[in-house]
Amino acid sequence: MITFMNNSDSEEEPCNERTSLMSAESPPVPSYQDGLQASEAGEAQAHRKRRAGSSRSPNNIAGGEMSGSGVPVRESVLENEEEELTLKYGAKHVIMLFVPVTLCMIVVVATIKSVRFYTEKNGQLIYTPFSEDTPSVGQRLLNSVLNTIVMISVIIVMTVFLVLLYKYRCYKFIHGWLILSSLMLLFLFTYIYLGEVLKTYNVAMDYPTLFIVIWNFGAVGMICIHWKGPLQLQQAYLIMISALMALVFIKYLPEWSAWVILGAISIYDLMAVLCPKGPLRMLVETAQERNEPIFPALIYSSAMMWTVGMAKPDTAARGPSQQTWDAAEDGREHLRSPSHAESQMSETRSPVPTTRPVTALEELEEEERGVKLGLGDFIFYSVLVGKAAATASGDWNTTLACFVAILIGLCLTLLLLAVFKKALPALPISITFGLIFYFSTDNLVRPFMDTLASHQLYI
Amino acid sequence: PAFGLFIFTIARDPLRIIILIAGAFFWLVSLLLSSLIWFIAVKASDPQNEQLQKGLLIFGVMFSVLLQEAFRFLYYKLLRKAIEGLVALSEDGCSPISIQQMAYVAGVGFGLMSGAFSMINLLADALGPGTVGIHGDSQLYFLTSAFMTMVLIFLHTFWGILFFHGCEHRRWWEIAAVVVMHLTVSGLSFCNPLYVGSLVPSYLLMAAVAAWAYLLSGGSAQNLRRFLLCKC
């Protein structure tokens, strides 16, 4: 997944919200385009979906938003400042991403640990047709690899489809798709989740109350994600849907397939973002060319400034991510399609507009551009940590180790983003670290720590 | 208490949080390597021989301590480079965070990670039903574990400060002192379950190291008095 700002690489979204880190710069309002040549360039970079944009061009973009007259002058001044500010505020942006990722992981781990439903095996998704209940190890490995191939090809097809839609400006279709998938995600998954949580804690709730609660939750969510809403609420909703999606993945992906899929997805992410013909990269570039924000529903943005001009492109952006997953899938298991849709959605961007630094003209307090991270990234990080919590016998040690590994990977990715100033894939480094740490902690550290603890030795 | 340290002193500044997580990461890597060594040693040896296993365990612990200190040194090197980068980036030519603060945060990072790894499974089990020490082990298992973990976290923090100070001023004896102390504390924990042998000296050691680190960081008896009397 690409972390990046603004560009809508929502294609990947359905399943994998590719975590691309994008610079959070939102495309400047067209009216300011002229004066913002510099910022555009910066934005283009920011828009790369995949890249995690540190608040780099915020100044430029923000400047663009501001009053037009002083813009060109400010532009150049701002550019220099931006460079410094980018790195200076780098730490702040890292933290701005740490917090939501941590929250998402905490939600997923807490649910896994307490609610039994998500660790029971109740069948598999249509996207992983091969079962893993085979007698021999070789057969199981083969099946998981085949599952991975199926899943990845589905993701590729969806992503390409989304990019094509975006290229040919079928915004309505993309919009409708995204709306439909977020609808299903918000209502259906929340209903199931709530049901399971209530069952676990043996709390009774009558249907009318349930209906009202879910209806409110879903309606507010739809408004927040696809239209306007307070930033915190929007972020909270995006975190929640990522967590729900991750939970669905954890439940329905068989063991070995899950790990192989995680590895394959990070490789795919790497290629899709960095190769010149990669779909995500094309998506980001197209969005940047058109100076449109990437679909808000697919990307998480750490900061946002709503401007009137931004509203429209944002809504357009939101559409695509959902489209990736077909409502047609509905026919099958309910859970299947929504999950996919979810992933697509997650991939899409979070609110596109990133806060733009206020230009000197306004003499307002500086807002930094936030960094954008694709929702798919959230989902896969949480899947990794959730699987570690669910299946590792070393329990909390392994979970903690994976958590730290993922955070460090995110740090490094953001650092690279600051250095390269392009959309970057956020998945590979973190997932690699996470996988390494998971397997090594589970097999090597756990016996060591257990023996130490039983003798009460301390190192 | 360690968590309180985190909230009050580290959570405000994002740079410190990053340094903390990186410190935890380094500790984790050192743990990984040391358990790898131990694992190989165990697999290569006879699983039935109790004495041998115990000996291997002790060897593993010592090796792990040495590796931790080695990684602390590596982390110090990394932070030095990072400070140069930060200075270059900042507008007024001085680093937003000093090396002492980094030392403190790094120490807390190490400590938190080691404490977490020591305690968290214990805590999870403590939530469930059961009786402590039913097989003739000590009944104070949880309490002593908690205290031992706390003292270890604090010690890591102080050792971090001492270690970095020693590296900065090229006083090798300070670094050696840190390593020796770490080995001592781990060795003392071998006395468990004879708790008086491990807990008490550890706390005394911690008090001594705390005073040493405090003096190194520029504190003095005067400052302490003023602080305690709230004179400000």
Side-chain angles (χ1 to χ4, degrees), chain B residues 79-152:
Chain B
L79 284 180
R80 288 282 294 165
K81 291 230 178 82
I83 273 203
E84 286 161 23
L86 281 175
V87 167
L89 285 173
S90 74
E91 288 172 344
D92 47 0
C94 66
S95 161
I97 189 170
S98 75
I99 190 77
Q100 278 111 349
Q101 287 178 357
M102 278 198 185
Y104 164 71
V105 175
V108 174
F110 267 54
L112 271 181
M113 206 57 190
S114 92
F117 261 66
S118 310
M119 273 307 278
I120 206 147
N121 276 335
L122 217 59
L123 286 174
D125 284 337
L127 284 176
T131 314
V132 183
I134 198 167
H135 284 288
D137 296 320
S138 162
Q139 284 183 335
L140 296 170
Y141 188 73
F142 283 147
L143 269 183
T144 49
S145 301
F147 278 112
M148 193 70 191
T149 310
M150 187 176 87
V151 80
L152 205 61

Side-chain angles (χ1 to χ4, degrees), chain B residues 5-104:
Chain B
L5 266 183
F6 171 73
I7 291 187
F8 287 121
T9 56
I10 296 184
R12 301 280 177 68
D13 187 5
L15 199 54
R16 295 189 200 170
I17 296 186
I18 298 180
I19 299 180
L20 182 91
I21 302 276
F25 178 70
F26 271 79
W27 187 89
L28 200 60
V29 175
S30 85
L31 179 68
L32 204 74
L33 288 177
S34 51
S35 56
L36 176 69
I37 305 281
W38 178 81
F39 193 74
I40 295 177
V42 163
K43 284 295 175 200
S45 71
D46 175 19
Q48 299 304 323
N49 190 346
E50 278 292 327
Q51 280 300 85
L52 184 61
Q53 293 301 315
K54 191 110 204 273
L56 275 181
L57 198 62
I58 295 182
F59 162 72
V61 168
M62 294 299 162
F63 194 73
S64 165
V65 167
L66 291 174
L67 263 184
Q68 280 178 42
E69 298 304 323
F71 270 84
R72 213 196 289 268
F73 183 66
L74 281 177
Y75 194 42
Y76 165 75
K77 284 255 176 258
L78 185 72
L79 284 180
R80 288 282 294 165
K81 291 230 178 82
I83 273 203
E84 286 161 23
L86 281 175
V87 167
L89 285 173
S90 74
E91 288 172 344
D92 47 0
C94 66
S95 161
I97 189 170
S98 75
I99 190 77
Q100 278 111 349
Q101 287 178 357
M102 278 198 185
Y104 164 71

Side-chain angles (χ1 to χ4, degrees), chain A residues 107-375:
Chain A
V107 168
V108 170
V109 171
T111 312
I112 293 266
K113 287 285 181 201
S114 54
V115 178
R116 287 270 151 256
F117 173 71
Y118 286 104
T119 39
E120 294 160 6
K121 308 274 324 148
N122 273 346
Q124 290 181 210
L125 292 172
I126 185 101
Y127 300 96
T128 51
F130 299 96
S131 153
E132 280 199 7
D133 280 333
T134 55
S136 74
V137 171
Q139 182 77 355
R140 189 173 187 184
L141 195 62
L142 184 70
N143 277 354
S144 52
V145 170
L146 288 174
N147 274 342
T148 311
I149 293 179
V150 169
M151 188 82 146
I152 300 278
S153 34
V154 168
I155 291 175
I156 293 180
V157 163
M158 291 296 196
T159 311
V160 169
F161 184 52
L162 187 66
V163 169
L164 284 177
L165 283 179
Y166 190 63
K167 253 185 145 43
Y168 294 116
R169 302 181 187 265
C170 311
Y171 289 136
K172 296 243 184 277
F173 188 57
I174 295 181
H175 239 41
W177 192 358
L178 278 181
I179 288 181
L180 205 61
S181 50
S182 65
L183 207 75
M184 259 197 310
L185 192 61
L186 274 177
F187 285 108
L188 189 63
F189 282 177
T190 312
Y191 171 68
I192 293 173
Y193 179 74
L194 209 58
E196 290 305 322
V197 169
L198 290 176
K199 259 191 240 172
T200 307
Y201 290 108
N202 220 6
V203 172
M205 189 187 260
D206 52 318
Y207 276 117
T209 312
L210 189 71
F211 175 70
I212 293 177
V213 166
I214 292 199
W215 172 254
N216 283 343
F217 180 78
V220 176
M222 289 299 288
I223 295 177
C224 258
I225 298 177
H226 292 274
W227 196 47
K228 297 189 226 234
L231 179 64
Q232 308 260 11
L233 203 57
Q234 195 166 22
Q235 291 176 334
Y237 265 104
L238 287 171
I239 294 177
M240 276 194 279
I241 61 177
S242 309
L244 283 175
M245 197 65 191
L247 283 170
V248 168
F249 269 140
I250 294 175
K251 180 172 171 63
Y252 285 107
L253 284 180
E255 303 269 338
W256 291 16
S257 305
W259 299 112
V260 183
I261 284 178
L262 276 176
I265 285 249
S266 34
I267 298 178
Y268 168 64
D269 200 34
L270 196 65
M271 292 196 320
V273 174
L274 295 178
C275 292
K277 278 300 166 192
L280 288 174
R281 185 177 177 142
M282 291 202 323
L283 195 54
V284 171
E285 283 172 1
T286 318
Q288 283 179 343
E289 279 166 30
R290 299 182 193 167
N291 284 312
E292 287 170 358
I294 299 185
F295 306 109
L298 296 176
I299 298 188
Y300 179 93
S301 158
S302 52
M304 195 170 82
M305 192 172 81
W306 280 109
T307 60
V308 175
M310 296 302 284
K312 262 204 196 141
D314 280 344
T315 43
R318 289 190 207 262
S321 46
Q322 297 189 354
Q323 285 180 339
T324 26
W325 289 98
D326 248 335
E329 309 263 344
D330 280 3
R332 321 282 195 127
E333 265 188 26
H334 281 307
L335 290 175
R336 292 196 191 150
S337 31
S339 51
H340 290 289
E342 306 286 324
S343 44
Q344 293 195 334
M345 281 211 309
S346 12
E347 286 199 357
T348 54
R349 333 91 191 297
S350 49
V352 175
T354 46
T355 53
R356 295 158 184 267
V358 174
T359 56
L361 253 189
E362 301 199 351
E363 305 224 347
L364 299 174
E365 68 289 342
E366 282 219 350
E367 295 173 21
E368 285 159 30
R369 286 176 189 277
V371 181
K372 294 190 189 181
L373 185 63
L375 280 187

